[in-house]
Amino acid sequence: MSSRNLLEPTFARTRLGSGPGLLLAHGAGSSLANTYGPVLEALAARHTVVGIDYPGSGDTPRSTTALSVDDLADQLIAAADAEGLDRFAVSGFSLGGPVAIRAAARHPERVSALVLTAAFGHRDNRLALASSVWSKIAASGDRELLAEFLLLMALGTQALESMPSEQLQQILGFTAATAADGSSEQTDLVGQVDVRDDLAGLKVPTLVISTTDDRLTSPALHRHLAETIPGAHLADIATGHLPMLERTEEWLQLITDFLGKHHA
């Protein structure tokens, strides 16, 4: 692979901070701001943070064709090129995990570290079913039903059951309002991604953060990544699929401690 990506950057992107480069790949049905928003300022205090919004998220228009993990990974690298970053760590959440993995596999000389949270290398049966239902609800346009499904699947038991009904209604409203317009296409990709062939060839320090009460991407999928990527470190965090909401500071600490050791 050449050291420079040849693609023109076409996705909306965000750049914040200064210091060593850090690319961010968000989750399906979300956006850079909704996935990493609670920790963006803290990450930008130590890094030059560059992230993209997938088609149908943020200011990136929806795609008229099916999404591919190659295109998302190459657009992430194209954003780094456009912002003048030669070498960088990559943090991927959920669908952003295989995007980060593919970016590292295609551009190994440029990626210095990987942080994979609630991520997966392939779908299991639960994720296949969940992504299919998610895509169909999103395509229907029923945002209230979509929000109910997402909170049912994404929030951990403790977070969900400790929430007063008024707060639950507020979060349902926020989730309905902020769901990505391109959720259907992005979740279709979740049901198709398979980057298992990339894993054994990765030669980069890797942290796999397993969300241990996750009903979307099971801890077994997280462990598969940690066991297959050479030398990967596994860290557990007792949340559902959304550590940025349930345990913000603990999630941030895991990321920054690892990058501090492996991405100076």
Side-chain angles (χ1 to χ4, degrees):
M1 231 28 213
S2 64
S3 61
R4 281 290 181 179
N5 188 46
L6 301 179
L7 279 183
E8 191 70 22
T10 58
F11 293 3
R13 66 181 184 269
T14 297
R15 175 186 175 135
L16 295 169
S18 61
L22 174 61
L23 306 188
L24 303 180
H26 69 75
S30 184
S31 64
L32 178 71
N34 284 344
T35 294
Y36 283 98
V39 298
L40 263 180
E41 287 189 13
L43 292 175
R46 305 185 184 196
H47 301 90
T48 300
V49 172
V50 173
I52 59 172
D53 284 308
Y54 306 151
S57 292
D59 291 328
T60 305
R62 288 180 75 169
S63 177
T64 57
T65 58
L67 303 181
S68 78
V69 71
D70 284 347
D71 287 345
L72 300 188
D74 285 346
Q75 280 293 322
L76 186 62
I77 300 297
D81 290 344
E83 296 297 341
L85 297 182
D86 291 316
R87 191 162 164 80
F88 34 76
V90 187
S91 173
F93 169 80
S94 195
L95 175 60
V99 172
I101 289 164
R102 182 57 52 86
R106 290 168 75 89
H107 304 273
E109 73 286 355
R110 302 186 64 185
V111 176
S112 59
L114 283 176
V115 178
L116 309 171
T117 302
F120 56 96
H122 66 291
R123 69 177 195 179
D124 59 6
N125 288 338
R126 179 183 297 276
L127 185 56
L129 290 170
S131 61
S132 176
V133 173
W134 186 354
S135 177
K136 290 170 183 173
I137 297 174
S140 78
D142 189 336
R143 285 178 169 262
E144 183 177 333
L145 181 61
L146 178 61
E148 290 175 349
F149 172 76
L150 289 178
L151 291 192
L152 174 67
M153 295 297 293
L155 280 176
T157 301
Q158 182 178 357
L160 182 59
E161 299 305 333
S162 65
M163 196 176 292
S165 59
E166 182 178 337
Q167 184 184 9
L168 178 59
Q169 290 305 313
Q170 290 174 344
I171 292 179
L172 281 167
F174 175 82
T175 303
T178 58
D181 291 340
S183 292
S184 183
E185 301 93 87
Q186 293 176 22
T187 51
D188 281 344
L189 179 58
V190 169
Q192 299 163 9
V193 163
D194 192 335
V195 296
R196 282 176 288 185
D197 287 348
D198 294 341
L199 302 180
L202 294 175
K203 295 178 172 62
V204 59
T206 300
L207 172 64
V208 177
I209 300 175
S210 176
T211 41
T212 58
D213 192 21
D214 200 325
R215 290 172 175 78
L216 272 174
T217 63
S218 74
L221 292 175
H222 314 154
R223 289 193 299 271
H224 175 263
L225 292 176
E227 291 165 0
T228 311
I229 298 172
H233 176 69
L234 178 66
D236 290 342
I237 184 168
T239 72
H241 194 64
L242 304 174
M244 70 290 296
L245 298 182
E246 297 180 41
R247 297 206 176 188
T248 309
E249 293 302 319
E250 185 177 344
W251 186 47
L252 174 65
Q253 196 70 48
L254 287 171
I255 296 171
T256 55
D257 284 355
F258 183 78
L259 293 180
K261 294 174 183 174
H262 297 286
H263 181 54

